[in-house]
Amino acid sequence: MPVANADIARELDRIADLLDIEGANQFRVRAYRRAARIVDTLPRGVGEMLLAGEDLDDLPGIGKDLAEKIATLAQGRHLPMLNELEREVPPGITALLSLPSLGPKRVHVLHEQLGISNIAELAAAARAGKLRSLPRFGAAIEAALLKAVAERAEQPRRIMLRQAEQIAEPLLGRLRQVPDVLAAEVAGSYRRRRETVGDLDFVVSSNAAPAVIERFVHDEEVAQVIEHGPTRASVNLKHNLQLDLRAVLPASYGAALLYFTGSKAHNIALRRIAVAKGWKLNEYGLFEGDRQIAGVTEADVYIRLGLPFIPPELREDQGEVAAAQQGTLPALVKLADIRGDLHAHTIATDGRATLAAMAQAARERGYSYLAITDHSRRLAMAHGLGPRELTNQIEAIRRLNEKSSDCKILASIEVDILEDGKLDLPDSVLKELDLVVGAVHSHFEFPKVRQTERLLRAMDNRYLDIIAHPTGRLINQRPSYELDMVRLLRAAREHGCHLEVNAQPNRLDLPDTFCRLAADAGVKLAISTDAHGVEELAFMRYGVDTARRGWLQANDVLNTRSWRELKSMLRQR
Ligand code: DGT
Ligand code: CA
Ligand code: CA
């Protein structure tokens, strides 16, 4: 149930923005803004207050109507009024708010006077000098907007892999249903499982390419056709993502899949091997003169080049071709190797499911263990557990384990690493737990040395087993805090402490390149979902994707082991 206060506040601010853009009554707009600030600064979670039977309209500045809306949001439900506003206001228009000096009032003017409802229209109007004479604008603002729009155009916009999946998979499903489509796959960075993708690349095998392409460009998801020929199309999807489609004959499908999976650098490395043998490699096949010698499948091409199949996640020209030649490619960890999850929350703090429900979901996934790691008290926004509540939870876990033994629930904690590197619970409490996960949730701004030493200090605590989301980054949202990763890994290795690969799709932390550094440094990693609900246990596969991109093998990963074996690798237990 609990939705974070900050998220509720964001929704309220969005309502205020939309109302303001519409030109609504200023009292009304201000009431929502004020409510957003009040909710954001409450010392306790709105969800918790409601559970305690408190009336939100007792809060100063919040009337009955707003109190009801806040309660609806706190339960994670949609507000009909917000849905209606989203329908009334043109879809691209709120993107304008992300530009400097454009608040709702100026956006309202742009829409009302010039009919501008997206960034492209704004850019055109600015270039034509139409903004400077508008009320609330001027030459300086027009110039600043022109500059901002130009900078934005330069920055490639990349979307997170999970969002890309939600768009690509239904499309791929429909494409595979098209008559004459023999096979279809998403290639590109998507298939290499990069954390973000710049666009989608579809490869299709067919003997009737033109008909397939024709069908595809009329898909419901296609917003605009950029380019359209007999074997290829480039389109913009409604989700503001570009998609490149290539259709080839079955004899070329493997070669095309290989080529469009990339990376470009990997392709170049392969082509060099082909050329050295006097052959030619392109998206149609491997050729000796005019004769095709491979290309029906990818493996076919690799074999002909004298190489084993290289998994897409490794195809970044980071030594994989040499490793393949020497027969030293890693046997990458697989989802099926994972035997448990070492980071999950319940309603005791900011999770959405009960302990029993999480345990049942882990059992259904066939896991041998699940660590319950609710927050420690310092993380007030998640109403963290103090020693007494934690003791109660340990009791509840013990009872649960007595009832059923096939999936062991581990009593654990996501303990806050405080400003000075101390942990937010006394050792006397930590030592009662099966496993201790520690995490930084504050002071992201510390300079590198101070932040690194804070984490090293945390590892000095002999009960700390795993550092969760070690860099603190949120993809497309917040960069990593400054950290000397090499020093951290060396210390982790010395202390026998472990790091996490957090599988939340917007974290993927450790990032792939650091996974590889960690394995090289001899540090074992836990791939954990940080699930805040039963459905999020399924995020495990994103963590595995990241680990595979980091060259990790099952042996590098803690939770590929039985609990017995894992336990012997923890500290002080
Ligand atoms: P992205 O879309 O930025 O996330 O990354 P990719 O890797 O999907 O790149 P994209 O969409 O530009 O191209 C898809 C694949 O096509 C790329 O990974 C390799 C191949 N490719 C594209 N351009 C070239 C090229 O000029 N030479 C070679 N050898 N391959 C290319
Ligand atoms: Ca791509
Ligand atoms: Ca592309």
Side-chain angles (χ1 to χ4, degrees), residues 158 187-190 192 194 196-201 244 258-265 267-268 271:
R158 304 185 61 84
S189 50
Y190 182 96
R192 304 197 309 278
R194 275 192 63 177
T196 60
V197 305
D199 71 358
L200 293 172
D201 306 279
D244 298 329
L258 182 63
Y259 182 90
F260 291 107
T261 296
S263 65
K264 189 170 164 182
N267 290 349
I268 290 170
R271 198 175 310 140

Side-chain angles (χ1 to χ4, degrees), residues 337-359:
D337 296 330
I338 301 293
R339 299 176 68 169
D341 200 327
L342 299 175
H343 187 163
H345 296 271
T346 73
I347 51 169
T349 60
D350 59 350
R352 294 181 295 273
T354 61
L355 171 62
M358 292 299 282

Side-chain angles (χ1 to χ4, degrees), residues 24-74:
N25 179 311
Q26 282 308 299
F27 290 107
R28 213 170 147 218
V29 174
R30 260 181 255 137
Y32 281 98
R33 291 226 191 279
R34 194 168 51 234
R37 271 193 309 280
I38 292 170
V39 168
D40 203 26
T41 52
L42 283 175
R44 286 184 306 141
V46 167
E48 185 193 355
M49 294 172 64
L50 290 171
L51 276 180
E54 290 172 48
D55 272 337
L56 296 176
D57 56 3
D58 289 347
L59 294 169
I62 296 196
K64 191 161 170 304
D65 175 60
L66 263 169
E68 270 171 24
K69 293 200 166 83
I70 293 170
T72 304
L73 291 171

Side-chain angles (χ1 to χ4, degrees), residues 179-196:
D180 296 318
V181 168
L182 302 170
E185 207 57 72
V186 187
S189 50
Y190 182 96
R191 184 156 176 255
R192 304 197 309 278
R193 308 313 283 162
R194 275 192 63 177
E195 62 198 30
T196 60

